[in-house]
Amino acid sequence: MSSATIITCKAAVAWGAGEALVIEEVEVDPPKPMEIRVKVISTALCRSDITQWESKAFPHLYPRIFGHEASGIVESVGEGVEEFKEGDHVLTLFVGECMKCKHCTSGKSNMCQVLGLERTGVMHSDKTTRFSLKGKPIYHYCAVSSFSEYTVVHSGCAVKINPAAPLEKICLLSCGVAAGLGAAWRVADISKGSTVVIFGLGTVGLSVAQGAKLRGASRIIGVDVNPEKFEKGKAFGVTEFINPNDCNEPVQQIIKRITDGGADYTFECIGDPGMITTALQSCCDGWGLTVTLGVPKLKPEIVAHCALLLSGRTLTGSMLGGWKPKSDLPKLVDMYLNKEIQIDEYVTHDVPFTEINKAFDLMREGKSLRCVIHMPK
């Protein structure tokens, strides 16, 4: 049984939607049964953090601690936890794996029914928070909340990794890079010589590009309104670039023309339901596959003519690239250590925890892929 006590530490607290984060002294409870408390070492800012922080749909979930793409070291373990011990290096997981539910045992899905995406700002187990400030609760984000020096997560929402991996780089496998690689490999299962189109060349889109390149795709066409993304994209395998702002006709018409009727695979990595339709229109009849990965900001409904599907196209999506996080992510860490996949190149900026708002500014201005936020030593 854990003998851990309450920890007082610094956390970046959001007091309201779109408001600058404030570094506050917060109290972090000890881990409850089947939970662990983690000393966060590095955490990266993901676009979905910004999307949710900007959203005014959940005013009741403030104050709140965001952050979900993180690496750290286990500080203490709760009752019943056997797979972790103090000092273990871990990645946090915004989608957990209980190993027992219908989805976890199916071999077909990573949509755990027990530890799935947590949207209500509390812990999975007892629907309460582990953070407080002056006796009042602070809400969680995705049951991770890594914008804090310490956090508590369910033991099913963390995965032990090789301690040789640099925590300041490998944190990107906690979400963005893993999501893109998985979409290319597990979901689409890209074949050699195929044509791939990627809408949105952020970290996720460029991770799809890397996955496509490693699978031997012959053409990897990137679509983005930021012209600087083409140079960045070349490093990950993007062979051609389309800027919709420079086009005199719809992007899908251009793609169909230059790919002899449409691409084999298209990926929507923006979070724009209208772009999902465009991506579906851009893949070919018969076997064309569209994978959507983005988190929509506003209206989540997709509008598409049923003829697009009747002609043989497929539309699908994935969470964390379809990886079973506890089972699969350690393999990706080992691939990184063996220099089989790139991760370091996605880190465009590093900032100390005290300058976390700078990370938000850089991403909103389109200047960063991943900004890694480093906790105080």
Side-chain angles (χ1 to χ4, degrees):
M1 187 169 175
S2 173
S3 58
T5 57
I6 291 173
I7 283 179
T8 299
C9 70
K10 288 184 168 58
V13 178
W15 288 94
E19 294 181 18
L21 307 190
V22 181
I23 304 293
E24 304 274 14
E25 290 275 342
V26 303
E27 292 187 330
V28 186
D29 289 344
K32 293 192 176 182
M34 299 310 296
E35 296 176 352
I36 62 175
R37 189 160 59 188
V38 176
K39 176 178 172 58
V40 178
I41 301 298
S42 299
T43 179
L45 178 64
C46 174
R47 171 63 66 176
S48 58
D49 288 306
I50 288 188
T51 299
Q52 292 302 314
W53 167 73
E54 288 178 336
S55 171
K56 296 190 167 38
F58 308 102
H60 58 289
L61 294 183
Y62 288 91
R64 194 173 198 184
I65 297 172
F66 284 96
H68 66 280
E69 190 175 281
S71 60
I73 298 172
V74 176
E75 177 270 338
S76 56
V77 300
E79 184 181 351
V81 175
E82 296 181 353
E83 65 176 304
F84 296 104
K85 63 183 185 301
E86 291 179 22
D88 282 345
H89 287 207
V90 296
L91 293 177
T92 58
L93 305 172
F94 69 94
V95 178
E97 187 178 352
C98 76
M99 306 286 195
K100 296 175 181 176
C101 72
K102 181 173 81 171
H103 282 258
C104 284
T105 57
S106 70
K108 301 176 183 178
S109 163
N110 66 354
M111 300 300 290
C112 179
Q113 293 170 294
V114 179
L115 301 172
L117 188 62
E118 213 301 311
R119 294 181 170 92
T120 59
V122 292
M123 294 294 286
H124 288 97
S125 53
D126 63 0
K127 306 302 178 189
T128 65
T129 75
R130 301 289 176 269
F131 297 104
S132 59
L133 179 60
K134 296 175 182 173
K136 295 186 177 180
I138 302 174
Y139 290 99
H140 296 245
Y141 177 62
C142 292
V144 174
S145 293
S146 57
F147 295 164
S148 172
E149 291 181 298
Y150 290 86
T151 189
V152 175
V153 299
H154 192 283
S155 59
C157 293
V159 59
K160 184 159 62 174
I161 59 168
N162 189 328
L167 293 174
E168 72 277 8
K169 304 294 185 186
I170 213 71
C171 58
L172 272 63
L173 281 177
S174 175
C175 179
V177 173
L181 290 174
W185 294 343
R186 283 186 70 99
V187 183
D189 194 16
I190 290 173
S191 57
K192 186 176 181 179
S194 56
T195 298
V196 175
V197 179
I198 303 164
F199 294 85
L201 298 179
T203 298
V204 174
L206 292 176
S207 298
V208 172
Q210 180 182 178
K213 176 185 177 183
L214 292 172
R215 276 291 178 89
S218 61
R219 298 175 73 183
I220 303 172
I221 302 167
V223 181
D224 202 295
V225 294
N226 182 349
E228 294 176 12
K229 292 290 180 72
F230 185 35
E231 280 305 313
K232 289 177 180 173
K234 286 179 182 177
F236 301 102
V238 176
T239 59
E240 299 159 63
F241 182 72
I242 297 173
N243 185 339
N245 290 341
D246 297 338
C247 300
N248 297 321
E249 59 183 319
V251 170
Q252 61 268 32
Q253 290 183 15
I254 296 171
I255 291 169
K256 291 187 79 167
R257 187 174 70 248
I258 66 174
T259 59
D260 187 24
D264 300 300
Y265 308 95
T266 61
F267 296 83
E268 191 281 331
C269 306
I270 301 168
D272 178 350
M275 202 54 72
I276 296 172
T277 306
T278 299
L280 191 59
Q281 292 169 330
S282 300
C283 64
C284 66
D285 291 345
W287 62 83
L289 173 65
T290 296
V291 182
T292 180
L293 300 162
V295 178
K297 294 180 183 178
L298 299 170
K299 295 179 180 178
E301 293 82 14
I302 300 166
V303 178
H305 198 291
C306 68
L308 293 171
L309 302 176
L310 292 172
S311 61
R313 292 173 176 84
T314 301
L315 172 62
T316 190
S318 74
M319 194 78 73
L320 193 62
W323 300 114
K324 285 182 172 293
K326 292 174 82 73
S327 306
D328 294 328
L329 291 192
K331 301 170 194 170
L332 292 180
V333 172
D334 290 339
M335 288 183 74
Y336 167 76
L337 289 173
N338 292 331
K339 295 184 166 51
E340 296 169 37
I341 57 172
Q342 296 170 268
I343 294 179
D344 297 14
E345 293 80 359
Y346 294 99
V347 180
T348 54
H349 298 80
D350 293 272
V351 299
F353 184 47
T354 52
E355 296 177 22
I356 189 169
N357 287 303
K358 183 178 177 183
F360 279 68
D361 293 340
L362 286 165
M363 183 167 277
R364 293 175 91 193
E365 293 164 9
K367 294 178 180 175
S368 69
L369 288 176
R370 275 297 186 266
C371 184
V372 174
I373 298 144
H374 300 270
M375 291 298 169
K377 291 280 192 275

